[in-house]
Amino acid sequence: MTDADITEDSPLDEMADGAGHAKPHWRPLLSAMFALGHETLAQRAHLLDQAFAEEGITAILPGERAVNWRCDPIPLPMSAAEFSSLESGLAQRAQVMELILADLYGPRELMREGLIPPALVYANPAYLRPCRTAAGHRRDRYLSFYAADMLRGPDGAWRVLADRTGQAQGIAYALENRRIMARVVPELFQSQRIQPLRQYLEMTGDMLQALAPGYDGGVALLTSGHADPLWFEHVLLSRELNIGLVEAGDLTLRNGQVFLKTLRGLQRIGVLLRRKDGNQVDSLELASGAGVPGLLDAIRDGAVRMVNDPGSAMTEAPALAAFLPQLARRLLGTDLMLPSQATLWLGEGAAERTVLRDLEGWLIRPATDGDTPPVVPMMLSPDERAALAARIAADPAAFAATVAPNPSVAPCAGEHGLEARPIALRMFMTFDGGNWRAFPGGLARVLSREDALAGRLPRNALSKDVWVMEDEASTVQGALALFTPALAIRRTSGDLPSRVADNFYWLGRYLERLEEAARLQRAIIARILRPSPTAREIAEMQSLVASLTSVKMMDAEDASVLGAGMLASSVMRAFRRDGGMRRVLARVARQVEQLRDRLTGEMHTVLTRSLRVLGDAMRNLPPDSNTQALESAAHLTGDILQFAATVAGLAAENMVRGGGRLFLDFGRRMERAESVAAELAQVLDQPNALTQPGRVEAGLRLALELRDSVITYRGRYLAVLQPAPALDLILADEGNPRGLAFQLVAARDLLREIVEDGDSLLTAMEPLLQEARDIVQDVLRAPDQMAAAARLPSRLKRLEQAIGAVADRVSRRYFTLLPIARSLGVEGEPMRGAA
């Protein structure tokens, strides 16, 4: 573009000055970019996409809750002077918003003076009447966090398109952009003086700690859970700020105070960083029916601080921007330093007529809903624009109109080199107790024609890391000094929210369920692939089909089919979409996501990467008609078993003993114990077993194979197979990590870390161990061991049920946040075999 091509309406170039030269703070970056070259930059862009897919916010399994948040390898630098100017302007806007909220939830003088139309208050879904103070004033702030979405126009001035006073979301995305950018494109950071982000996080953490009443109580981030589209942000932000991550069900009120429910009792919570909609924090006073009963009452009494206030989102109303200039003059006695993009509330007749005369020049937004993206009339068909005009004419007060912006452009990495793309910038502010301070960066989004200019953060977007350059005269400023009481040293295992313990427990059970299913699949595939199976192998296949059917890895009608072709198709169906293996893999992935804040970065990365690989491998298995389909499925079962071993090793080496690891391991032990009893009962339940000892022998051989105990048995007994020794290895040998006794002893030892000696849960394990020993001794003393073993299936099934009953007791005692039915499975799923 030449100077002659530039007009007043041309978008401003963020990189170039008015003379067509690169701005000073861009020049070192451009030198580093050109040194890399186009091909290298394109390669780094691909690596960035890959890193976000593996470590960022995408779904674990392909095709599930797809998210495509990406980061352009070219950052958006900002000079220190420009950042300081924006910080001042945003601080002023935040102050105005605080005063507006204090008035509307207090004396409401602004409405009486006609400065704010009542229609923008009482019709606003974010205006929460229970948050209003009876005395007309209160001692707490409404805002501690604030963000603004901004665009720079052709005249070079930044203007605010949307104020974010509810949750000020997006800062974790900016942190992730910086972290991955620094690792993937380190050359761009060399010789650059960029303001660091850590100091801002330390300041924010100190501010939150200082808000606790009397410095009493912990700080936690209140989330609506892993189903929230911004779950990734909640996890990362809680980790970066070193605060807890809780859901409404984790909290309870006692004597007007808020507590976190843990396995060992209640822990006081003094501050809640809200990351869920304000109308969902209290199920007692708010219409949503969600949240913690009585929480608003605790907030009003000062027993807990919530930031931002539950009703703070009401000032996000788009139409409020039309009144901000006069509100600033009324509240601060000065004009706004950083104005809004010109906006009209169409509830005034003249504004409605102005907009309808030239509808294509405006963005149309709901007057009071800041979350809904605007409608862009210029992108609508004539019929759609006519329908929009009719809706506006029918209820003009329900709409606000903002002058359609022409945002500035910045260079982005494209297929054929640098491309100028329009951008929007979100900046974040925190009140440190005395002043508003800006996050030294921000979240820049590259806009396409389809992108929403305002509204909630999209799940699919191309973003940019925002650099704030250091001022040459800047000095290092430390974090705020903060007095906190000395912490007592604790090494307990029970300081874990019940919900988290429940999730670890079910992660363990589903991991074990996946592993056991893979062992069964591997065993039956090996027999299907053998030519001309023997009578013993046919009997083994019958047992394996029955076992696979019982755990929902094979359809019930296949239990009577032994044709190799039919069996192969049935086995392959388990790996297809909606098949049993795929379902269990998805449940493992779901538990990993729910526990994202409790897993180390390395463990989460390995788990998610492995789950994606397994999911892709299942999806890419050859069709049944391909002769290599079963071979591929057999290799996949080996990959699943390696994955299970990797998880066990990570847990042993990366997780502190107790807490999450305790319940993860306990879940695996109980699932494996049930599985041992169930599988042994299945393989011994042979037709005509009492008259055909060979069937019992085949079942025992299969049981040893499924328990990875063939080599151990051969080493001990020189390959002479007898029921009692085989059953001893499977059921009663406490040194066999695949045997039943090992699981029960391990589960009992794990329970000792959270229960007192003599507790009924500990004593409940002893009869189970004794029954396993008694089974072996009864068979050993029997005159016909084969016949005695053939009679065991019903006894083993009772033992399996008894083990399940103990697991249920643990669930009912420790996972009290959930309905008792949850102990039967995640979201109502039965425990074993019904998944």
Side-chain angles (χ1 to χ4, degrees), residues 98 102 105 131 133 135-144 211-214 268 270 297-305 309 431 433:
E98 171 69 27
Y105 283 113
C131 293
T133 55
H137 62 85
R138 70 180 217 172
R139 62 172 182 241
D140 296 339
R141 295 185 60 83
Y142 287 86
L143 296 182
S144 294
L211 291 178
R268 174 81 187 279
D297 200 39
I299 294 172
R300 284 191 293 264
D301 290 343
V304 66
R305 290 288 302 275
D309 188 87
F431 188 74

Side-chain angles (χ1 to χ4, degrees), residues 169-307:
Q169 297 166 329
I171 196 168
Y173 293 72
L175 293 172
E176 191 74 350
N177 283 350
R178 177 66 57 85
R179 183 180 70 85
I180 297 183
M181 277 279 293
R183 193 182 75 223
V184 176
V185 203
E187 297 89 344
L188 299 185
F189 289 80
Q190 295 171 0
S191 303
Q192 303 277 2
R193 294 196 62 199
I194 307 168
Q195 290 192 25
L197 307 181
R198 173 53 51 187
Q199 182 178 313
Y200 179 89
L201 295 172
E202 293 173 354
M203 177 272 295
T204 301
D206 288 349
M207 178 274 290
L208 290 170
Q209 293 287 346
L211 291 178
Y215 296 107
D216 183 20
V219 181
L221 186 151
L222 179 62
T223 174
S224 53
H226 77 286
D228 192 303
L230 293 177
W231 169 246
F232 162 79
E233 160 143 303
H234 304 170
V235 171
L236 182 59
L237 196 55
S238 66
R239 185 173 294 170
E240 291 292 336
L241 295 176
N242 197 29
I243 60 179
L245 184 65
V246 301
E247 297 179 24
D250 299 333
L251 304 175
T252 186
L253 267 73
R254 295 288 189 276
N255 299 321
Q257 295 183 332
V258 179
F259 293 89
L260 172 65
K261 293 182 281 190
T262 74
L263 302 181
R264 285 196 179 275
L266 302 178
Q267 290 185 359
R268 174 81 187 279
I269 296 294
V271 180
L272 287 170
L273 173 57
R274 180 173 61 84
R275 278 298 184 267
K276 63 185 300 186
D277 290 343
N279 63 358
Q280 295 182 355
V281 300
D282 190 329
S283 59
L284 187 64
E285 295 194 51
L286 299 172
S288 67
V292 185
L295 184 56
L296 282 180
D297 200 39
I299 294 172
R300 284 191 293 264
D301 290 343
V304 66
R305 290 288 302 275
M306 178 171 282
V307 290

Side-chain angles (χ1 to χ4, degrees), residues 338-458:
L338 186 59
S340 302
Q341 183 76 1
T343 299
L344 299 175
W345 177 51
L346 304 190
E348 300 173 339
E352 177 195 354
R353 291 189 295 272
T354 298
V355 170
L356 291 179
R357 276 198 301 268
D358 180 24
L359 194 55
E360 294 185 32
W362 301 85
L363 302 178
I364 306 301
R365 306 174 65 188
T368 59
D369 183 1
D371 287 336
T372 300
V375 176
V376 185
M378 70 175 62
M379 297 180 63
L380 301 179
S381 67
D383 289 343
E384 290 171 331
R385 279 199 299 274
L388 175 61
R391 291 198 302 273
I392 293 174
D395 187 11
F399 296 93
T402 301
V403 171
N406 190 10
S408 60
V409 297
C412 300
E415 294 182 4
H416 307 292
L418 299 184
E419 298 177 358
R421 302 276 299 276
I423 59 165
L425 173 65
R426 176 173 291 191
M427 286 184 60
F428 307 92
M429 305 287 292
T430 295
F431 188 74
D432 66 5
N435 299 288
W436 284 97
R437 295 173 61 183
F439 176 75
L443 188 64
R445 282 195 297 123
V446 179
L447 304 172
S448 67
R449 287 180 60 85
E450 295 77 22
D451 280 330
L453 292 174
R456 288 183 181 270
L457 279 177

